[in-house]
Amino acid sequence: MFFRSLTAVALAGSMLAAPAMSETRVTYKSAKTTSSYYQMAVQIAEAMQEATGGEISVTVEESQGSVQNVMEVKARGGDYVFTTPPVLVKLAQGGKAMFEDKGDPAFDDIRALFPIPSLTMHFVMSEASGATSFADLEGKTILLGKGSFGAREGEKYLGLFGLEGKVNIADVELSNAVPAMKNGQIDGFVTAGSWPAPNVVEAAASTGVTVLSLDDAQIAETKRTKLVIPAGTYAGQDADITTTSLPVVAYTTTKMDDDTAYQLTKTYWENKGKLGEAAAWWNGVDEGLMENITGQIHPGAIRYYEEAGVALTDAQK
């Protein structure tokens, strides 16, 4: 269920030993309305509403992508929360890659709040293809999709693992991956998103699939973060899947006051269990993902983590 915008009430009134606050408005900038990350933003807002007494209202705002989210820091105030991979914050602060000649002192004020589900790579092969490793992809027909992170990453991996020019790339939209696999038009497809991925769930239940694992050497070649999808996540999956991921984190800036950052972070973690009951992708988030935050955390969020006994690195403080 998608919404173009949603306003939800978030927790602020329960701050210990604090006086009642006037309403604080927060804008949560996520992704396109058709993406799972927009759904996550709506779920966070709904969880905040259920948990709160109405002192902070959160508006979920559509975005065209993580780069846009970072760029808007230059024009936004203390009410701005956005999601992006930590690597983009690092690039913005260094004025590199897509941020070359677009640097701004505001980028140095970006601070993390909490991790959300990572973009997780899935190489999904039909059982009929017989492929159980990357070496088996030679001669197979694979759907990569177009223009997405998963498509770019999938193409990169084929090159890294010696499969460039040895795999047939299907000219089919990723949205048609499962039907194309069912009718034998493709042997497999590549997708990136939070796990469990809906299209992988559908393919596993309807046709039977093998999701390929990467070994440690392959993961090192990709320069991405290792992630393990537990056995039983998908139908017929008897063993863990070792793959790669791109961490994603919710950020704000130093313009946000400490109390608001504290309450947003506290409410998120204290309601993550309920989020997981509603959508399984939240169950992949735990304190272990805190190590993926490579930059500084907002002082208000640090207060929560210290209260909760979560260990932080010197670089995060």
Side-chain angles (χ1 to χ4, degrees), residues 11 47-48 51 262-272:
L11 178 61
M48 296 253 181
Y262 171 83
Q263 288 299 333
L264 290 171
T265 305
K266 177 182 173 70
T267 305
Y268 171 76
W269 284 107
E270 291 186 348
N271 288 274
K272 197 189 71 64

Side-chain angles (χ1 to χ4, degrees), residues 11-200:
L11 178 61
S14 64
M15 288 185 290
L16 298 176
M21 296 171 55
S22 59
E23 184 184 49
T24 300
R25 296 181 179 276
V26 173
T27 297
Y28 188 108
K29 187 97 170 177
S30 62
K32 293 182 179 179
T33 56
T34 53
S35 76
S36 61
Y37 284 88
Y38 191 88
Q39 294 182 61
M40 290 177 204
V42 171
Q43 289 164 350
I44 287 175
E46 289 175 341
M48 296 253 181
Q49 179 178 20
E50 184 178 350
T52 71
E55 298 293 347
I56 301 177
S57 69
V58 180
T59 299
V60 178
E61 189 173 294
E62 183 181 18
S63 162
Q64 297 306 305
S66 295
V67 173
Q68 179 194 12
N69 292 355
V70 176
M71 291 295 293
E72 289 196 14
V73 165
K74 295 188 290 186
R76 297 284 189 145
D79 62 341
Y80 186 50
V81 176
F82 64 98
T83 61
T84 194
V87 66
L88 288 189
V89 174
K90 184 177 181 180
L91 291 173
Q93 292 174 340
K96 298 178 180 179
M98 66 284 292
F99 299 99
E100 187 174 0
D101 299 325
K102 298 177 182 178
D104 193 281
F107 294 149
D108 293 330
D109 296 332
I110 294 173
R111 297 293 184 269
L113 293 174
F114 46 79
I116 64 174
S118 300
L119 276 166
T120 305
M121 288 297 294
H122 293 71
F123 279 79
V124 186
M125 302 303 298
S126 68
E127 287 184 349
S129 73
T132 59
S133 69
F134 280 90
D136 298 330
L137 297 188
E138 186 169 347
K140 299 295 192 294
T141 299
I142 306 296
L143 170 58
L144 292 179
K146 300 174 183 177
S148 66
F149 168 78
R152 295 189 298 272
E153 198 78 350
E155 184 178 16
K156 181 180 85 172
Y157 290 16
L158 294 180
L160 289 174
F161 304 153
L163 291 164
E164 187 173 0
K166 300 178 181 179
V167 173
N168 302 313
I169 305 300
D171 186 17
V172 181
E173 293 294 332
L174 186 59
S175 58
N176 295 322
V178 176
M181 181 177 282
K182 284 182 179 179
N183 65 28
Q185 186 179 355
I186 61 173
D187 297 303
F189 63 92
V190 179
T191 187
S194 53
W195 63 268
N199 52 356
V200 182

Side-chain angles (χ1 to χ4, degrees), residues 228-262:
V228 176
I229 301 174
T233 298
Y234 300 113
Q237 179 200 343
D238 299 325
D240 291 348
I241 299 164
T242 304
T243 185
T244 61
S245 67
L246 183 64
V248 183
V249 171
Y251 289 92
T252 186
T253 70
T254 55
K255 293 179 182 178
M256 176 173 283
D257 68 87
D258 289 0
D259 286 340
T260 301
Y262 171 83

Side-chain angles (χ1 to χ4, degrees), residues 204-229:
S206 60
T207 65
V209 300
T210 298
V211 181
L212 304 186
S213 278
L214 286 74
D215 60 34
D216 288 342
Q218 289 171 325
I219 292 172
E221 283 189 83
T222 68
K223 295 182 172 57
R224 294 299 186 193
T225 303
K226 180 179 179 178
L227 185 143
V228 176
I229 301 174

